[in-house]
Amino acid sequence: MRRTKELASQMGIDVAWNCAISLRPLEEGTDDSFRMIGYEDWDVNARLPHGVDDVRRHLEEVDNVPLLVSLYTDVNKKTAADMVNVFQEYNDTVLSVGLSHLSGNQEIFSRADIAIGVDVLAEDISFNNIDTNIHALNNLQPHEIAFVTSISAHSSVFNLHRTATCHFVEIIRIGRVCLEAATSGASFALSGNLSFSIFILLCPCTAATAVPMVPTLGSFMYAQVLLPLIGLSMASTDDAKDFMTRVPPKNDPAVKYSPRSNMRPYLSMLLRAAIPAIIPQFFYLIVLGELMWEFDSPFVKDFCLDGDKSEYRKPPIASIIRCEALRDYSGPAVQSAGTISLAALAICTCVASASYVFRTESIRSEPPWKRNHLWLGTLALSFVLIAIYMALVLEEGSMTTLSWYFYLLFLVAPFGCLYFCEAVKKMDQRHEKRAVMMRRLQFETRLGMWSPKESTHMGDGMSNNRRENTSPMV
């Protein structure tokens, strides 16, 4: 342990009291030359486990703090491979880094979830002075070195040269950023499809007697073109500020949260998906009343108005959309109104996508148009596609006959959806910050300071009698 802690101190790893666990089993009555001065007293005071078997016993009976320490000492290839299994048993993702030319690392690489090999022979051995025409048995050829290292590192994702080890943090950062960006894109696509489903569900519930006609071509463009196009573009989002300082959540199914915490993500997605689906229903009512008078005013005068039908005066929109004769009407006004309402849904969804680029960061603190230029170009392309669709499908003169307040609402509504989505995300951000602080506290915990399993426990009824942690956080 003395040598390990000295090396760890040079690497910047915390080597204060109670920061390391030895994987060397303790045997009473024997002397261990590797132990530090006063090491036995430290062990008694801190109650540190020793050896893999003792670590497993501590995890089963006490708490999970042995998985949180930053240093393990007295390690060999067998105990290292066993600790990889211990981490995986408790749902941790293990990244293994080691020398690729050592055959002892092969088992560790194969057990780890992700392995990175470091090839030091490729740079330490010079082949410039080797005569390639002489094929003596004692000559070491470059391809032989590459073959030897590839055997041990065949389970590694990367096999880097020694000078490339500085890219470890960058590789991890890129992986986390890609996962976060892909999650944001998938969340947007799921929310967009949920908005479309709510929009279809609300169509029969409209206040008008004529049920909106949802165009087939527009539905295909929305679900199969716009949503995948914008969702895929979110995968190229750069990382947010202080992204690498956040502790990611652990994939532990044993951790259970309160019912309120479990329902919060689903409720947030439902709220963010409902507003873009509700607003187009109001546009449908306005457009239907305007276009019915413009395209088929004789029908309105004959079946929807009372009194003097010869008087040329535009009736209120409510008297038109509530006309009983519209139940079986399928003229151009109903078709154009359905097209415009679907276009409003698409525009609101596209604008609201700015709130999905970053899952918890506000667009004020992290403007998405600065972090993802591809998303910005895709958003502009989506608006162009929506404009082309409306120009091809709408009845001629549909947009020019609408009142000025329609255009005002049509312009303000998408930004209203974005504001509402940001308000919902702000509530999620408050809970997420608390969860990050909780995970950070757990990550920086040392034995003797705080026990994550010291709180409420609940038996799972399994044969191994493991305990589950219930937490109100997140």
Side-chain angles (χ1 to χ4, degrees):
M1 175 173 281
R2 185 187 304 108
R3 292 181 299 179
T4 304
K5 295 192 71 173
E6 181 179 356
L7 176 62
S9 178
Q10 297 175 2
M11 297 174 61
I13 300 176
D14 183 17
V15 292
W17 178 83
N18 209 8
C19 68
I21 291 180
S22 173
L23 298 185
R24 180 191 301 272
L26 285 180
E27 298 180 4
E28 297 183 0
T30 59
D31 296 331
D32 194 341
S33 60
F34 292 96
R35 296 178 188 169
M36 301 177 63
I37 299 176
Y39 182 67
E40 297 83 0
D41 297 334
W42 176 31
D43 169 64
V44 172
N45 295 330
R47 299 181 181 179
L48 290 171
H50 290 264
V52 178
D53 294 336
D54 201 7
V55 168
R56 291 180 184 273
R57 188 181 308 109
H58 189 104
L59 293 172
E60 291 285 344
E61 300 176 357
V62 185
D63 53 38
N64 66 341
V65 180
L67 302 177
L68 307 176
V69 298
S70 56
L71 182 63
Y72 294 91
T73 63
D74 306 321
V75 179
N76 54 40
K77 61 181 181 181
K78 181 180 183 304
T79 56
D82 291 340
M83 281 306 301
V84 170
N85 291 338
V86 171
F87 277 102
Q88 291 175 338
E89 289 173 4
Y90 285 84
N91 304 284
D92 275 324
T93 302
V94 181
L95 169 63
S96 174
V97 181
L99 299 178
S100 58
H101 69 279
L102 297 180
S103 59
N105 291 334
Q106 182 176 356
E107 182 179 3
I108 303 174
F109 287 161
S110 61
R111 292 189 184 185
D113 297 287
I114 303 175
I116 299 178
V118 180
D119 188 1
V120 297
L121 297 181
E123 297 182 4
D124 289 346
I125 299 179
S126 176
F127 302 97
N128 295 330
N129 298 327
I130 296 180
D131 188 1
T132 57
N133 296 325
I134 301 176
H135 299 284
L137 295 179
N138 59 349
N139 287 341
L140 191 62
Q141 302 297 325
H143 62 273
E144 295 175 345
I145 297 295
F147 176 72
V148 171
T149 57
S150 64
I151 292 177
S152 299
H154 75 280
S155 300
S156 303
V157 179
F158 303 101
N159 191 19
L160 306 177
H161 296 298
R162 181 175 56 182
T163 56
T165 55
C166 59
H167 300 297
F168 283 161
V169 177
E170 183 67 12
I171 292 174
I172 297 174
R173 185 192 69 83
I174 293 176
R176 290 187 58 184
V177 169
C178 292
L179 178 61
E180 184 74 12
T183 303
S184 299
S187 299
F188 167 74
L190 181 60
S191 178
N193 283 286
L194 182 59
S195 296
F196 185 69
S197 301
I198 297 175
F199 174 78
I200 298 296
L201 183 64
L202 292 178
C203 284
C205 304
T206 182
T209 55
V211 177
M213 299 177 62
V214 182
T216 304
L217 179 60
S219 302
F220 176 84
M221 183 190 69
Y222 176 85
Q224 302 297 328
V225 178
L226 297 183
L227 293 183
L229 194 64
I230 298 178
L232 290 175
S233 67
M234 291 184 180
S236 62
T237 305
D238 295 333
D239 55 327
K241 183 180 179 182
D242 300 331
F243 178 75
M244 288 297 292
T245 61
R246 305 173 191 170
V247 180
K250 184 177 179 180
N251 300 324
D252 191 354
V255 177
K256 294 183 178 180
Y257 303 104
S258 61
R260 180 180 178 183
S261 299
N262 289 330
M263 291 298 298
R264 184 181 52 81
Y266 303 103
L267 181 60
S268 298
M269 177 172 289
L270 180 61
L271 291 176
R272 297 171 74 177
I275 295 300
I278 294 175
I279 291 179
Q281 301 295 332
F282 294 98
F283 287 134
Y284 173 78
L285 301 178
I286 297 174
V287 175
L288 179 62
E290 296 280 351
L291 295 186
M292 279 298 300
W293 181 256
E294 180 66 25
F295 291 157
D296 207 346
S297 57
F299 178 87
V300 174
K301 293 178 181 180
D302 294 338
F303 299 100
C304 301
L305 299 182
D306 297 329
D308 188 5
K309 301 180 181 180
S310 62
E311 182 180 359
Y312 186 81
R313 183 170 56 89
K314 184 179 179 180
I317 293 180
S319 62
I320 299 177
I321 62 176
R322 294 300 300 168
C323 180
E324 290 294 331
L326 290 180
R327 292 188 181 276
D328 300 325
Y329 184 84
S330 60
V334 176
Q335 297 176 0
S336 297
T339 301
I340 293 176
S341 63
L342 181 60
L345 170 65
I347 294 175
C348 290
T349 303
C350 291
V351 174
S353 66
S355 181
Y356 291 86
V357 175
F358 294 106
R359 191 165 58 91
T360 56
E361 296 296 327
S362 172
I363 59 176
R364 294 182 179 179
S365 60
E366 292 289 346
W369 47 87
K370 292 184 179 180
R371 294 289 186 175
N372 193 338
H373 300 289
L374 179 60
W375 167 82
L376 185 61
T378 305
L379 185 64
L381 177 61
S382 300
F383 290 148
V384 173
L385 293 177
I386 294 173
I388 294 175
Y389 165 74
M390 294 178 66
L392 295 177
V393 177
L394 285 179
E395 191 74 17
E396 185 178 357
S398 298
M399 298 300 295
T400 57
T401 58
L402 298 176
S403 303
W404 62 270
Y405 60 86
F406 166 80
Y407 293 99
L408 180 61
L409 295 176
F410 199 78
L411 180 64
V412 174
F415 296 98
C417 293
L418 179 60
Y419 178 81
F420 182 82
C421 291
E422 284 294 302
V424 175
K425 187 168 70 173
K426 189 175 181 179
M427 294 188 297
D428 291 341
Q429 186 182 25
R430 182 170 63 253
H431 291 276
E432 182 64 20
K433 284 184 177 180
R434 293 179 59 194
V436 170
M437 293 174 61
M438 185 74 174
R439 293 195 296 265
R440 190 68 186 180
L441 174 65
Q442 185 180 13
F443 180 77
E444 295 180 347
T445 296
R446 299 293 175 263
L447 279 170
M449 294 173 56
W450 178 72
S451 175
K453 288 190 177 182
E454 198 174 66
S455 58
T456 305
H457 292 80
M458 179 177 62
D460 58 357
M462 302 297 289
S463 59
N464 57 4
N465 295 325
R466 287 179 59 182
R467 295 176 176 178
E468 296 180 343
N469 181 27
T470 58
S471 172
M473 304 301 293
V474 188

